[in-house]
C-alpha cells in the first residue's frame, strides 16, 4: 500500500521556521516531522510514499537525495576525489516526490498525484504536520470491512479543526471548523482512488466539497482514535513535540 503525504503548504503560522524551509521539514529531535510521519507508516509496513511538494519543495528533494549520506559515516579523500563509506543505514523506503504547485490547495495536490495511486485498491493519505500513535493497520482493515470509498481517523481534542458529525460507523456531515469539543479530522485517511474524481481542480480543498459529498453519500467511515495525536500548527506545538521527543517517551514513536 502507498501513502500520500501533503508537504506543499507554506505553514504561515510557523513563520519563524518556515521562512527558510517547508513546514514538513521543521525538525523534531533533529529529524524533519515528515520523517517522523513516514516512520509511523513504516512501522505498519507501509514503505512506498508519494510526497506532494509545493513551497520550497526543492529542499525536500535535496533531503532525500542526500538521505543515504546523512545516515552514514564517511571519509572524503579530497585530493583523490573519493568518498569511502564506513557504516551505512537507510530506511526501506521508496519515495516519489511530485511538484504539485506552490499555490495548489489540499484537494488539488491529491488530484495531481492521481497517476501514482489510481491503480491501487486503496491508499493512505495524510498531512505533513501531525503525528500520532494511531493504529494504521487497524484503520486499513476497518476501511476494507466497511466497504466505503473513504475512511477518516477522528480524535477528540478541543475544537478548531474540521469537525465530524458521526452516527454509528459513518460520518454524516463534515464542517470545516468545529463549534466546540467533539470528534475532529485528524488526517490519516484510507481512500479508494475513485475519491479523486470528486476533486475539481487545483483550487479544491480536500476538507471542503469532496469530504462533504462523501459524508452526504454515506461513503465516509470514521476510525476513532483515542490515543495520542498532535498537529504542529504553531511554535508552541512544535516546542511541545520537541519536549516529548527529548523526554524519551514520545507517544508517536511506534517503531
Amino acid at each position: 500500500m502507498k501513502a500520500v503525504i501533503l508537504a506543499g503548504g507554506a505553514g504561515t503560522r510557523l513563520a519563524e521556521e518556515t521562512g527558510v524551509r517547508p513546514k514538513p521539514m521543521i525538525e523534531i529531535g533533529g529529524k524533519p516531522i515528515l520523517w517522523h510521519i513516514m516512520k509511523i507508516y513504516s512501522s505498519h509496513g507501509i514503505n512506498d510514499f508519494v510526497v506532494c511538494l509545493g513551497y520550497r519543495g526543492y529542499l525536500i528533494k535535496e533531503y532525500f537525495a542526500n538521505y543515504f549520506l546523512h545516515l552514514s559515516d564517511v571519509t572524503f579523500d579530497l585530493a583523490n576525489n573519493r568518498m569511502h563509506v564506513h557504516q551505512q543505514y537507510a530506511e526501506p523506503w521508496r519515495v516519489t516526490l511530485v511538484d504539485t504547485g506552490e499555490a495548489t490547495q489540499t484537494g488539488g495536490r491529491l488530484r495531481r498525484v492521481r497517476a501514482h495511486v489510481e491503480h491501487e485498491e486503496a491508499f493512505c493519505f495524510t498531512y505533513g504536520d501531525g503525528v500520532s500513535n494511531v493504529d494504521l493497520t487497524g484503520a486499513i482493515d476497518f476501511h476494507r470491512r466497511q466497504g466505503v470509498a473513504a475512511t477518516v481517523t477522528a480524535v477528540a481534542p478541543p475544537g478548531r479543526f474540521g469537525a465530524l458529525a458521526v452516527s454509528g460507523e459513518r460520518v454524516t456531515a463534515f464542517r470545516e471548523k468545529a463549534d466546540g469539543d467533539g470528534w475532529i479530522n485528524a488526517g490519516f485517511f484510507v481512500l479508494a482512488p475513485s475519491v479523486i474524481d470528486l476533486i475539481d481542480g487545483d483550487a479544491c480543498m480536500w476538507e471542503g466539497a469532496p469530504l462533504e459529498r462523501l459524508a452526504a453519500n454515506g461513503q465516509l467511515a470514521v476510525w476513532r482514535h483515542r490515543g495520542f495525536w498532535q498537529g504542529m500548527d504553531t511554535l508552541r506545538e512544535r516546542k511541545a513535540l520537541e519536549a516529548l521527543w527529548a523526554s524519551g517517551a514520545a507517544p508517536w514513536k511506534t517503531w
Side-chain angles (χ1 to χ4, degrees), residues 115-235:
H116 298 282
V117 296
E118 62 186 349
H119 299 300
E120 304 293 316
E121 172 220 349
F123 64 95
C124 293
F125 178 54
T126 197
Y127 307 104
D129 62 357
V131 290
S132 176
N133 59 358
V134 59
D135 178 6
L136 292 170
T137 300
I140 294 166
D141 290 343
F142 171 83
H143 171 81
R144 289 171 172 155
R145 293 197 307 271
Q146 292 296 309
V148 293
T151 295
V152 57
T153 297
V155 294
R160 70 179 175 89
F161 300 91
L164 309 175
V166 175
S167 175
E169 305 301 335
R170 292 290 185 278
V171 178
T172 58
F174 189 94
R175 299 188 304 277
E176 185 176 354
K177 298 295 181 183
D179 299 322
D181 293 352
W183 293 103
I184 67 163
N185 168 24
F188 296 102
F189 296 90
V190 186
L191 305 175
S194 60
V195 303
I196 299 176
D197 294 334
L198 302 174
I199 301 170
D200 296 330
D202 284 355
C204 180
M205 293 287 291
W206 170 246
E207 303 78 14
L211 285 182
E212 291 166 1
R213 289 174 64 183
L214 286 166
N217 293 330
Q219 286 297 307
L220 182 58
V222 58
W223 174 254
R224 295 177 179 84
H225 173 59
R226 293 177 171 84
F228 177 84
W229 173 84
Q230 179 62 61
M232 189 183 66
D233 281 331
T234 65
L235 187 59

Side-chain angles (χ1 to χ4, degrees), residues 19-225:
V20 295
R21 54 185 167 178
K23 187 178 180 183
M25 292 303 291
I26 295 174
E27 294 182 351
I28 304 296
K31 296 288 180 64
I33 192 169
L34 176 61
W35 177 89
H36 290 266
I37 294 166
M38 293 169 74
K39 287 288 285 186
I40 294 168
Y41 277 102
S42 190
S43 71
H44 289 270
I46 298 172
N47 295 302
D48 196 343
F49 299 96
V50 179
V51 183
C52 303
L53 306 182
Y55 174 73
R56 294 186 180 271
Y58 65 90
L59 292 174
I60 298 178
K61 289 182 179 179
E62 289 176 357
Y63 175 78
F64 285 106
N66 295 308
Y67 190 82
F68 180 80
L69 183 61
H70 291 165
L71 297 178
S72 305
D73 294 334
V74 298
T75 295
F76 292 101
D77 184 344
L78 301 183
N80 296 297
N81 192 28
R82 294 175 181 170
M83 180 182 74
H84 177 68
V85 178
H86 301 283
Q87 176 183 327
Q88 57 191 15
Y89 174 78
E91 306 293 342
W93 295 344
R94 183 175 186 269
V95 185
T96 301
L97 305 173
V98 182
D99 184 357
T100 57
E102 190 159 324
T104 309
Q105 299 298 325
T106 51
R109 294 191 190 282
L110 177 57
R111 186 172 182 265
R112 286 207 185 192
V113 301
R114 176 199 292 266
H116 298 282
V117 296
E118 62 186 349
H119 299 300
E120 304 293 316
E121 172 220 349
F123 64 95
C124 293
F125 178 54
T126 197
Y127 307 104
D129 62 357
V131 290
S132 176
N133 59 358
V134 59
D135 178 6
L136 292 170
T137 300
I140 294 166
D141 290 343
F142 171 83
H143 171 81
R144 289 171 172 155
R145 293 197 307 271
Q146 292 296 309
V148 293
T151 295
V152 57
T153 297
V155 294
R160 70 179 175 89
F161 300 91
L164 309 175
V166 175
S167 175
E169 305 301 335
R170 292 290 185 278
V171 178
T172 58
F174 189 94
R175 299 188 304 277
E176 185 176 354
K177 298 295 181 183
D179 299 322
D181 293 352
W183 293 103
I184 67 163
N185 168 24
F188 296 102
F189 296 90
V190 186
L191 305 175
S194 60
V195 303
I196 299 176
D197 294 334
L198 302 174
I199 301 170
D200 296 330
D202 284 355
C204 180
M205 293 287 291
W206 170 246
E207 303 78 14
L211 285 182
E212 291 166 1
R213 289 174 64 183
L214 286 166
N217 293 330
Q219 286 297 307
L220 182 58
V222 58
W223 174 254
R224 295 177 179 84
H225 173 59

Side-chain angles (χ1 to χ4, degrees), residues 4-32:
V4 176
I5 304 176
L6 293 173
T12 54
R13 282 180 287 184
L14 267 167
E16 303 92 336
E17 298 276 359
T18 57
V20 295
R21 54 185 167 178
K23 187 178 180 183
M25 292 303 291
I26 295 174
E27 294 182 351
I28 304 296
K31 296 288 180 64

